[in-house]
Amino acid sequence: MSDIYQHFRQDERPFIDQVLEWKQIVQDQYRMKLTDFLDPREQVIVKAVIGDACGLAFFGGYDRAERKRAILYPEYMEPEQDDFELRAFEVQYAEKFVSIDHRSLLGSLMGIGLKRQKYGDLIFSEEAVQLIVSGEIADFVGTQLTKAGKAPVKLEKIELSALHIPASDVEIREDTVSSLRLDAVCALMSRQSRQKAQALVKNGLVKVNWKAVEDPSYQVAEGDMLSIRGFGRCSLTKVDGKTKKDKWKVTFERQK
């Protein structure tokens, strides 16, 4: 058991325990186990912990979804799209008079009393504002969400096929970094000095997986989503070992 924990952060142990419980359910009860929505880092952890112990599939409503539900299943089963129990809504509001942004919509969703894990991606496109939720709470969300910020809203159920997914505009970079410390990775991603990146971290302007981290020595890992104030969001999609010069080989994606 300790061999599993040593590959992850101390604060990730409760989630690892949960994944181990999911695996045990599948192995003992010979049935599928559907999870809540997982962020990219959690998806990496699930893949690592499950390994080949059972089948594993992810889906978040569309191909490039960031947040996805997972299904763990016995190898002789094969999950279908409906098994992920996803529902989608389009947000109706007086767009000529008010605007809605990601922060106000998410804040209002959290304000109706459900945890973030019940919600998938919030999609903002030129055509519409849409969201994906867990099927078991869809009716509740549909009736309870009446505002996004100060804007009155109404939710209209739509099919997943009706989602308006913006064209991908992502910069993919492969590079090397001397350390996986947060300040070093932030310096690489934001193309500035490590000293300036360290100041951003210490001033609470950097989030890792949506939580502010003020420790420059915090160790970043594959799957982490970094939000750097003034520089946008970057996802560390791959950590691919070290070079002969003892630098880490990394790949990350940045929304333009």
Side-chain angles (χ1 to χ4, degrees):
M1 191 68 68
S2 59
D3 290 341
I4 295 176
Y5 292 134
Q6 70 181 357
H7 299 293
F8 302 97
R9 305 183 184 109
Q10 181 77 23
D11 62 356
E12 292 174 334
R13 289 192 173 191
F15 181 69
I16 294 169
D17 290 339
Q18 188 175 46
V19 177
L20 291 170
E21 289 179 11
W22 295 340
K23 181 175 72 170
Q24 202 65 44
I25 287 172
V26 175
Q27 293 177 330
D28 292 349
Q29 301 179 21
Y30 304 101
R31 66 176 177 88
M32 291 184 179
K33 171 59 184 175
L34 174 64
T35 75
D36 284 335
F37 284 98
L38 308 174
D39 65 37
R41 174 58 182 169
E42 289 170 333
Q43 293 167 36
V44 169
I45 294 173
V46 171
K47 290 177 184 177
V49 173
I50 296 302
D52 297 326
C54 61
L56 178 63
F58 297 94
F59 187 54
Y62 61 103
D63 287 344
R64 291 187 287 107
E66 183 175 282
R67 299 178 61 81
K68 301 175 183 178
R69 300 187 85 172
I71 291 180
L72 289 68
Y73 58 95
E75 291 291 355
Y76 58 84
M77 294 184 177
E78 189 66 38
E80 299 180 355
Q81 182 172 306
D82 288 346
D83 294 323
F84 288 92
E85 298 180 16
L86 303 180
R87 300 292 182 270
F89 288 104
E90 186 160 309
V91 182
Q92 305 292 329
Y93 65 103
E95 53 188 297
K96 290 184 179 180
F97 306 102
V98 295
S99 60
I100 296 175
D101 59 19
H102 190 281
R103 183 176 181 179
S104 63
L105 179 55
L106 180 58
S108 296
L109 286 167
M110 299 301 293
I112 64 176
L114 297 174
K115 59 185 180 179
R116 182 65 177 96
Q117 291 90 334
K118 292 298 182 183
Y119 303 118
D121 287 2
L122 310 184
I123 303 165
F124 289 77
S125 67
E126 293 183 359
E127 294 86 359
V129 176
Q130 300 168 321
L131 62 145
I132 303 169
V133 306
S134 301
E136 63 269 22
I137 53 93
D139 290 341
F140 177 79
V141 175
T143 58
Q144 295 298 309
L145 188 73
T146 57
K147 285 188 176 182
K150 295 182 179 180
V153 301
K154 182 179 180 181
L155 296 185
E156 177 187 346
K157 287 184 179 181
I158 60 172
E159 297 295 325
L160 293 176
S161 58
L163 291 170
H164 295 286
I165 309 303
S168 178
D169 191 13
V170 176
E171 174 192 9
I172 300 176
R173 280 179 59 191
E174 295 181 354
D175 214 324
T176 60
V177 64
S178 59
S179 165
L180 292 178
R181 283 172 50 113
L182 182 56
D183 56 356
V185 175
C186 282
L188 175 66
M189 289 180 168
S190 60
R191 292 189 173 98
Q192 59 180 344
S193 71
R194 188 160 173 175
Q195 185 177 12
K196 290 182 178 179
Q198 192 171 96
L200 287 174
V201 175
K202 289 182 176 179
N203 288 321
L205 301 179
V206 177
K207 292 183 178 180
V208 181
N209 300 327
W210 300 274
K211 296 179 181 178
V213 177
E214 298 181 8
D215 178 6
S217 66
Y218 183 89
Q219 293 293 300
V220 180
E222 184 174 293
D224 279 343
M225 179 68 71
L226 277 69
S227 176
I228 308 171
R229 182 79 60 86
F231 295 91
R233 296 196 313 162
C234 298
S235 175
L236 186 61
T237 56
K238 190 174 183 180
V239 178
D240 194 22
K242 287 189 173 183
T243 67
K244 292 180 179 178
K245 295 183 178 181
D246 204 36
K247 288 190 173 184
W248 290 97
K249 294 184 286 184
V250 297
T251 303
F252 64 87
E253 297 181 0
R254 177 177 174 272
Q255 293 289 336
K256 294 183 180 179

